[in-house]
C-alpha cells in the first residue's frame, strides 16, 4: 500500500506522449512523470519526490470513443513498476493506493489495481477499482493487455525506471576531479 | 491490422544507418523512424505520429546484388515491435497492413508479414507478401534470420522502443519546480 | 575479494538520489558513484577508477527511524554488480571486502555481504557483516528484499553498469573522421 | 566469417575505458569502437563502417603482469555481439576472421575465437587462436570468464549494440516538421 501521487508536471517544456491501448470497454493510457528535485544551499540537487508511471483508465462510450471526464488514474511507484516488469507468465499482483493517505480524509477513497494473467493466449487483465465511501460509488475498469502490448509496457517501463529514481541525473554530472 | 506508415523523415539532420542482413534470395534492412511532434500554443510538445521500425526487403539479382527498385517496405508499430521482442523460441507472429487504410483505395494492396521459427538451428524466417489487386501482382520475400541476427534485432528494437513512443522527450525536459 | 572504494564524489554538481528500502530492522540504500577519469597530455580521457554502486545499511531505532550514525557501507564493483543482476531465483552469492586492502592496516576490518534467496515468496536477504578486529566489534545487518524490489535493483543496476565502466564517455565523442 | 576491423579511433576526444579481466595465463580486455560516418552533399550522415567491440588478449608473464607486446586482437561485429549476448548456458559459438580479407595477403593470418561453456560453475572459456602461415606461428589464448563477468559483458555489450549500429544518431536529430 502506498500513496497515490498526482505530479503537477511543472517542467520547463511539457510533453504529451502518452501511450494508449484502446479496447472495447475502456482505454488504458500510460505516461511517465519524472521525479522532482530541490536545490540545496551547496548547489547540489536532492530528489524530493520519486517519479511515477501514471496509468489512466477511461470508460468506452462508443466505438473508439472514451469518456475522459470519467477517467480514473493510478500512479505506479518505482517498486510497483519493479513488480510489473518482473511478473512471470502465470503471476498476478495487486496494489492498493489511498490518494489521501496521511491527510484528514484518509480512507475515504480506496484504489485497487490488479494485474492477472489471461488464461489461454498469454497477456494480462489490468483491473482498477475505485471505491469512494463518501459518494458511495464503486467504479471498475478492466482492460485486456496482450503479450505484445505487455512487452511494450515492460520494455518502456524498464527504460524509464532509472529516470523515475533520478539516477540519470548522476550521468549529467561532469567530472571535475580529473588529474591533468 | 494497422496502417502502414511511410515517415517522411523531415528532420534537421538526416541520418542513414540502416542495418541489413544480406541473404541468398533477398536482403532485409531495418531503419528506425522517430515519432513526429506538434507544438501546442502553450509551447508544449504533443506526439502526432508514433515512430516505427521500417523493414525493407529487396530481391537478390546476383551474388550480394539486390534490386532496390523492387524493394517492399513494412513499418512495424510499437506494439508490433513488442510482439517481435517477446517472441518465444517456438512462437510465430503475423501482421497485416493496408498502406491505404481509411483512404479511397483501401483494400487494394495487402501486406502480410509473418515471423516463423526455423526448425533446427533456432532463428526465424521473416516473410513478406504484398498482394496488389489492381496490378494483379503478388510479391513474396523470405529471409532467414539466425539467432545471432535476431538478438541484434531484439536488442536494438528494445533500445529503440521508448524513442518510437516519444518517451525520451520526457527526459529532455529540465526540472524547474525545484525549491531553492 | 576486492577493495572497498569510498568515492569522494568531487563532481561539478552533486546529486543526491539514493533509493532506499525501509524495513523493520534496517534500511538499505543504493547510490551510484561514477568513475573517475584523468586527462592525458593528448587531451584524451583515461579511466582512473571504476564506478561503484554504494550500498548503505542503517539499523532501525524505531518505526521508520534509522540511526545514520551507525551506518555501514559496501561498494559493489562492476563485476559484483554483474553477479547480482545475473542471480538465478535459487542462487546466492557472497562478496568480501577489506577497506584497507594493500594498506598498513590491512585485515583489521572485514566486510562480508551475502545475498541469499528467501524460501517461499521469492526475493532475497541482503546481509552485511562488518568485523573489526581492533575494536572487537561485529556488526550485522539483514534486509529482506522482495521480488519487486530486486527487480528495481536489477533494472537500475543494469542501466548503470556501462556508466560505472565509463563506456558512456565513448558516446559523448563526436565523430571527426567523416569524409565530406 | 567476417573482416577484422581495426578502427583508427579518429574522434574529437579519445577515451580510454577498457574493461579487463586479469587471469592466470592471460588478460582479456574489451573496448568499444564507435562506427564511422561520412557526410553527404545534403548534409546527411551516412554510416561508413559499423562499430565493433574490440577484444584484446595479452599473455601473462608473472603475477598480474602481462606482455602487451604480444597482444592479439579480435573485433566483434554487431552480429557477433548478438551471438554472444544470446548464448544459452550450455551453448558455444565460434567466429573466424581474416584481417586481410579481400586483400592480396588474404588467407595468411587466420583468427578463430571460440566461446565454450565451463562445465561446473557456469561461465565460459574465451579462446583465441591466431595462425600465421607466413611466420609459421600459432598463438593461443584461453581466458576463463565467470558468470558474473559474463553478465558484465552481456549487459555492457547489449547497451553498446545500438551505438555500434549508429542508431543513437537518429536520436540526436531534432524534429523540425512540427506543426505550430
Amino acid at each position: 500500500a502506498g500513496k497515490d501521487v498526482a505530479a503537477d508536471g511543472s517542467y520547463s517544456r511539457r510533453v504529451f506522449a502518452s501511450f494508449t491501448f484502446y479496447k472495447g470497454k475502456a482505454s488504458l493510457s500510460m505516461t511517465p512523470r519524472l521525479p522532482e528535485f530541490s536545490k540545496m544551499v551547496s548547489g547540489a540537487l536532492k530528489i524530493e519526490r520519486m517519479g511515477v508511471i501514471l496509468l489512466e483508465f477511461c470508460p468506452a462510450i462508443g466505438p473508439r470513443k472514451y469518456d475522459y471526464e470519467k477517467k480514473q488514474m493510478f500512479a505506479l511507484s518505482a517498486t510497483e513498476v519493479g513488480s510489473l516488469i518482473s511478473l512471470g507468465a502465470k503471476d498476478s499482483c495487486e496494489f492498493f493506493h489511498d490518494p489521501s493517505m496521511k491527510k484528514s480524509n484518509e480512507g475515504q477513497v480506496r484504489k485497487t489495481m490488479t494485474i492477472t494473467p489471461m488464461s489461454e493466449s498469454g497477456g494480462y487483465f489490468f483491473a482498477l477499482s475505485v471505491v469512494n465511501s463518501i459518494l458511495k460509488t464503486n467504479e471498475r475498469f478492466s482492460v485486456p493487455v496482450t503479450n505484445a502490448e505487455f512487452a511494450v509496457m515492460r520494455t518502456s517501463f524498464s527504460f524509464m525506471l532509472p529516470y523515475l529514481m533520478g539516477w540519470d541525473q548522476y550521468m549529467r554530472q561532469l567530472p571535475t576531479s580529473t588529474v591533468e
Side-chain angles (χ1 to χ4, degrees), chain A residues 2 4 21 29 41 44 75 90 103 112 141 147 157:
Chain A
D4 199 30
F21 303 134
S29 288
V41 177
K90 294 179 179 174
K103 293 182 191 160
T112 308
F141 300 85
N147 259 338
F157 289 12

Side-chain angles (χ1 to χ4, degrees), chain A residues 68-165:
Chain A
Y68 295 102
E69 301 290 318
K70 295 202 176 148
K71 75 177 175 193
Q72 289 287 352
M73 295 195 288
F74 197 91
L76 293 175
S77 70
T79 303
E80 289 164 345
V81 166
S83 186
L84 188 151
I85 62 179
S86 63
L87 262 192
K90 294 179 179 174
D91 294 345
S92 57
C93 62
E94 190 168 33
F95 308 126
F96 304 99
H97 285 189
D98 178 344
S100 307
M101 203 169 79
K102 292 178 185 164
K103 293 182 191 160
S104 61
N105 51 343
E106 184 173 345
Q108 293 177 356
V109 175
R110 236 176 121 63
K111 298 183 176 184
T112 308
M113 204 180 81
T114 56
I115 307 177
T116 48
M118 289 201 268
S119 49
E120 350 72 72
S121 58
Y124 298 88
F125 282 109
F126 278 65
L128 176 64
S129 137
V130 180
V131 178
N132 187 317
S133 60
I134 305 297
L135 302 175
K136 311 280 187 199
T137 58
N138 184 348
E139 290 172 84
R140 292 174 172 283
F141 300 85
S142 181
V143 173
V145 171
T146 68
N147 259 338
E149 290 164 344
F150 193 72
V152 171
M153 296 180 92
R154 193 194 295 267
T155 303
S156 58
F157 289 12
S158 297
F159 167 82
M160 198 54 73
L161 188 53
Y163 296 89
L164 301 184
M165 298 160 67

Side-chain angles (χ1 to χ4, degrees), chain A residues 170 172-180:
Chain A
Y170 288 102
R172 297 189 185 186
Q173 297 172 321
L174 290 174
T176 60
S177 65
T178 54
V179 185
E180 304 234 356

